[in-house]
Amino acid sequence: MDATFFDKVAAALPAVCFEQAPDLAIVLGSGWGDALQVDRPLLRLSYADIPGFGAATVPGHAGEFLLYERAGKRIAAFCGRRHWYEGVGWACVVLPVELVRRMGGKRILLTNAAGGLNPALHAGDFVILRDHVNTVGINPLIGPHNPAWGARFPDMTEVYTPRLRDVLHAAAAKRGLRVMEGVYAFTSGPVFETPAEIHMYGHMGADVVGMSTVPEAVFAHACGLEVAGLTLVSNLAAGISPKPLCHEEVMAASKAAQSVMAGLVDDFVTSV
């Protein structure tokens, strides 16, 4: 990735973005767009107005950067994400993380909707990520080394910070929710997985599968940020689900869980 791309984007953002480091950054995945409770908005900026970023192209992704205050904290929220399968390259995929790093942020919550392949999971369940499997074998750190992004060979033993996982568990317990910790299998998309692939990912130890989150998590962890990952199980994976998969099912599950999603995120924001 070319650091000059990020330089140009950062230079184009309003000064309010850099006057104070955010206490927390959030990336809202498919269906998570209404999960924020805002005391005072400081900035709303469409992705289309961020040079080189471009509007979100996937239904369920609002495509808006929101800087706001909640419970005395400053939050940098990216409402929607860009994906590797959109063909825009890694820079757009990890741009939210890089902007947070440049703002001085130290922790980030990554949310997503994913397919469940652990037999204990049902649509509407939540999974707190403890690890992941990168099934495609590529990541945004491939290429010339930039020391600003951490070591050339970053350790990935504990990408998802235990302390932040504990905060998510406490938030779920407060609301009487049954959650489990699990492993997320990252695929490139945009096709859903085949039953044979799901069978293989299950033997790899994966509990959920999706097309996002891992690139941002890898990049954020390498850069020294604390990372939390939270998944809504929106559907059962191929070969487990009794019907063909579709994005509309993902959106329907997210809509049904909106109030719970908002409560979990807000409890995390106010407790972290």
Side-chain angles (χ1 to χ4, degrees), residues 222-241:
C223 291
L225 275 66
E226 291 187 306
V227 180
L230 182 60
T231 293
L232 168 70
V233 179
S234 56
N235 57 276
L236 299 181
I240 302 173
S241 173

Side-chain angles (χ1 to χ4, degrees), residues 194-262:
T194 70
E197 289 168 340
I198 291 301
H199 182 74
M200 177 179 66
Y201 300 154
H203 281 284
M204 289 179 174
D207 300 287
V208 291
V209 59
M211 307 170 192
S212 70
T213 302
V214 168
E216 299 107 300
V218 166
F219 187 75
H221 181 68
C223 291
L225 275 66
E226 291 187 306
V227 180
L230 182 60
T231 293
L232 168 70
V233 179
S234 56
N235 57 276
L236 299 181
I240 302 173
S241 173
K243 55 186 177 180
L245 305 183
C246 64
H247 191 66
E248 288 74 18
E249 183 180 10
V250 175
M251 298 309 301
S254 300
K255 184 176 182 179
Q258 276 183 1
S259 62
V260 180
M261 295 156 75

Side-chain angles (χ1 to χ4, degrees), residues 9 12-14 44-55 63-64:
V9 175
L13 293 183
R44 288 185 182 273
L45 190 62
S46 170
Y47 287 178
D49 295 328
I50 298 176
F53 197 20
E64 180 183 63

Side-chain angles (χ1 to χ4, degrees), residues 13-96:
L13 293 183
V16 66
C17 295
F18 302 98
E19 66 183 14
Q20 178 183 328
D23 297 288
L24 174 69
I26 306 173
V27 176
L28 298 174
S30 292
W32 286 83
D34 294 322
L36 302 180
Q37 298 186 41
V38 178
D39 290 340
R40 185 166 76 102
L42 302 173
L43 174 70
R44 288 185 182 273
L45 190 62
S46 170
Y47 287 178
D49 295 328
I50 298 176
F53 197 20
T57 66
V58 182
H61 292 255
E64 180 183 63
F65 171 61
L66 174 62
L67 187 66
Y68 69 99
E69 291 181 351
R70 172 64 175 161
K73 297 179 179 180
R74 177 169 289 212
I75 312 299
F78 293 84
C79 306
R81 58 162 47 94
R82 305 305 303 272
H83 304 77
W84 175 248
Y85 63 72
E86 295 175 61
V88 293
W90 284 124
C92 286
V93 174
V94 303
L95 178 59

Side-chain angles (χ1 to χ4, degrees), residues 101-269:
R101 185 188 72 83
R102 291 179 180 229
M103 292 176 194
K106 300 298 183 184
R107 58 189 65 89
I108 189 166
L109 170 65
L110 305 171
T111 67
N112 63 68
L117 53 95
N118 185 313
L121 292 172
H122 304 87
D125 287 345
F126 292 90
V127 177
I128 298 167
L129 301 187
R130 72 165 186 273
D131 205 346
H132 66 244
V133 177
N134 183 347
T135 72
V136 298
I138 55 176
N139 72 72
L141 292 172
I142 294 173
H145 177 227
N146 186 338
W149 299 334
R152 183 53 170 141
F153 303 103
D155 176 72
M156 291 286 136
T157 302
E158 206 159 56
V159 175
Y160 304 92
T161 308
R163 183 184 71 84
L164 298 186
R165 297 191 335 239
D166 289 343
V167 176
L168 286 171
H169 276 294
K174 177 181 175 180
R175 296 180 176 274
L177 295 175
R178 184 183 72 91
V179 299
M180 62 176 285
E181 287 199 359
V183 176
Y184 181 103
F186 167 60
T187 68
S188 66
V191 298
F192 287 106
E193 305 75 27
T194 70
E197 289 168 340
I198 291 301
H199 182 74
M200 177 179 66
Y201 300 154
H203 281 284
M204 289 179 174
D207 300 287
V208 291
V209 59
M211 307 170 192
S212 70
T213 302
V214 168
E216 299 107 300
V218 166
F219 187 75
H221 181 68
C223 291
L225 275 66
E226 291 187 306
V227 180
L230 182 60
T231 293
L232 168 70
V233 179
S234 56
N235 57 276
L236 299 181
I240 302 173
S241 173
K243 55 186 177 180
L245 305 183
C246 64
H247 191 66
E248 288 74 18
E249 183 180 10
V250 175
M251 298 309 301
S254 300
K255 184 176 182 179
Q258 276 183 1
S259 62
V260 180
M261 295 156 75
L264 276 174
V265 170
D266 198 54
D267 286 345
F268 183 81
V269 167

